[in-house]
Amino acid sequence: MKTVHSPLHAGHAGQLELTAGRLLPGFEVPERAEIIKARIEAVGLGPILAPTAQTLDVATRVHRPDYVDFLARAWDLWIAAGYEGPALPFVWPTRGLRDDLRPDKITALLGYYSFDGGSAFVAGTWGAIESSYAAALTAADLVASGERGAYALCRPPGHHAGVRAAGGYCYLNNAACAATRLRDAGAARVAILDVDFHHGNGTQEIFWTRGDVAVVNLHGDPATEYPYFLGAADERGVGPGEGFNLNLPMAAGADWAIWGEALTTGLSAIRAWGVDALVVSLGVDTWEGDPISHFRLKTSDYPRIGAAIAALGLPTVFVQEGGYAVAAIGDNAVGVLEGFEGR
């Protein structure tokens, strides 16, 4: 399997996040991608390619163009305003406030274009975002050109990024962009299977009213788990998208017996939809030792996930999302890919 990866991800480093009333160093660190890359090389999974240059055309169709423009300019605006250190929002246009008035000041724009305090900007953030997006599109192009599977080693991740909002370490929704590229290449219907512990709220929002990209999420119950305000089982899509959104929330502590059953349900739905291609939002924060998640999958479970996905027989793009037990992320993420390859 070919992997697409850019060293520019390392520029997104030293960021902070606001978590449970504390300002902490970000859990989403450059070492995550480097350990996965080292594991790919160690097991001989296949060649590691640089992403090809991409325009922002797909990004501005998945997201609002003004949002994409803001992401590209946020750090420069922050510095021009005289601020130092990582840029984080502190106020949001929530209930009782207007969200149709776009402010001018960078401190307000950060809140206008986000939903939490988890996606900071530093000097290298836009370069990392752009290269992560390019990796996802390049992997989609490989699959559209005949590869059975390809892996976008994306960092930062993307599945929490919505039409107009960053959050949860995510800026551009790489999986949604990959699915859009597959549609552009001729796939009549694409499915996105999100196996991250946290619900892919951005992906759900982007495709909520559409039937050409179906979305399955396996995730922690939003009653107790981030992002809290989306991901319930009764959310099925609306209009042309009705019936093409499937949420499979699980209580904390879910092990393979529970999680594997949910995976079977999700894969059955994908089969029933008759899709032409698949994008997997590959989060491995379902591992029993993850510091910010609460499922109990074991390293030996991840190849089983890959094998079950392979059984669909679909051209498949894997897009890296979460996984914050840094020392174990290589074994777990690459385990899925090896399972898909039948190793």
Side-chain angles (χ1 to χ4, degrees):
M1 180 184 294
K2 293 175 181 176
T3 294
V4 187
H5 171 67
S6 169
L8 291 179
H9 79 89
H12 183 56
Q15 72 274 24
L16 300 174
E17 63 180 82
L18 180 63
T19 302
R22 296 177 296 166
L23 194 60
L24 301 174
F27 281 97
E28 204 287 290
V29 294
E31 289 79 6
R32 299 175 63 248
E34 295 306 315
I35 287 174
I36 295 172
K37 178 174 177 286
R39 180 63 179 168
I40 289 169
E41 293 169 337
V43 303
L45 184 71
I48 299 176
L49 312 175
T52 56
Q54 304 289 334
T55 71
L56 292 173
D57 169 67
V58 174
T60 55
R61 287 188 285 137
V62 168
H63 301 278
R64 271 183 25 179
D66 59 299
Y67 169 66
V68 177
D69 178 69
F70 168 74
L71 295 179
R73 299 190 304 120
W75 180 251
D76 291 339
L77 293 172
W78 180 257
I79 295 302
Y83 295 107
E84 299 178 351
L88 273 175
F90 72 97
V91 61
W92 292 268
T94 186
R95 291 174 296 276
L97 301 177
R98 293 181 62 176
D99 69 355
D100 61 326
L101 294 178
R102 184 182 183 277
D104 296 326
K105 193 172 183 179
I106 180 58
T107 49
L109 287 169
L110 286 164
Y112 182 76
Y113 288 117
S114 69
F115 68 87
D116 71 4
S119 295
F121 291 83
V122 296
T125 296
W126 173 246
I129 294 168
E130 198 171 24
S131 68
S132 186
Y133 160 80
L137 293 190
T138 302
D141 289 342
L142 288 169
V143 169
S145 298
E147 296 284 343
R148 175 171 172 263
Y151 173 48
L153 178 44
C154 291
R155 184 182 172 272
H159 71 148
H160 293 305
V163 173
R164 194 201 77 183
Y169 315 143
C170 302
Y171 304 86
L172 292 178
N173 195 309
N174 301 313
C177 292
T180 300
R181 178 57 68 85
L182 292 172
R183 286 279 293 113
D184 291 346
R189 178 173 290 156
V190 178
I192 298 177
L193 173 65
D194 192 324
V195 297
D196 193 280
F197 174 79
H198 303 97
H199 179 255
N201 57 290
T203 309
Q204 176 171 308
E205 180 202 3
I206 289 164
F207 298 113
W208 183 244
T209 63
R210 290 172 53 177
D212 59 334
V213 180
V215 179
V216 175
N217 267 280
L218 286 68
H219 56 282
D221 189 335
T224 59
E225 307 299 340
Y226 179 93
Y228 304 112
F229 304 109
L230 211 62
D234 65 351
E235 297 162 9
R236 301 284 294 167
V238 298
E242 185 173 359
F244 292 103
N245 189 84
L246 176 62
N247 286 330
L248 298 165
M250 288 163 273
D255 60 6
W256 178 259
I258 296 169
W259 196 94
E261 183 177 350
L263 177 63
T264 298
T265 300
L267 296 177
S268 294
I270 290 170
R271 287 188 181 93
W273 287 326
V275 304
D276 302 300
L278 179 68
V279 176
V280 178
S281 274
L282 180 57
V284 292
D285 45 0
T286 49
W287 186 61
E288 59 186 347
D290 195 89
I292 62 173
S293 307
H294 306 103
F295 285 166
R296 295 179 180 170
L297 296 194
K298 299 182 181 300
T299 295
S300 58
D301 293 326
Y302 290 97
R304 300 164 76 177
I305 297 171
I309 292 169
L312 290 172
L314 292 170
T316 302
V317 180
F318 292 89
V319 177
Q320 188 60 46
E321 303 286 2
Y324 306 101
V326 176
I329 193 172
D331 291 338
N332 295 337
V334 178
V336 175
L337 305 177
E338 289 189 289
F340 181 84
E341 294 281 88
R343 294 185 169 212

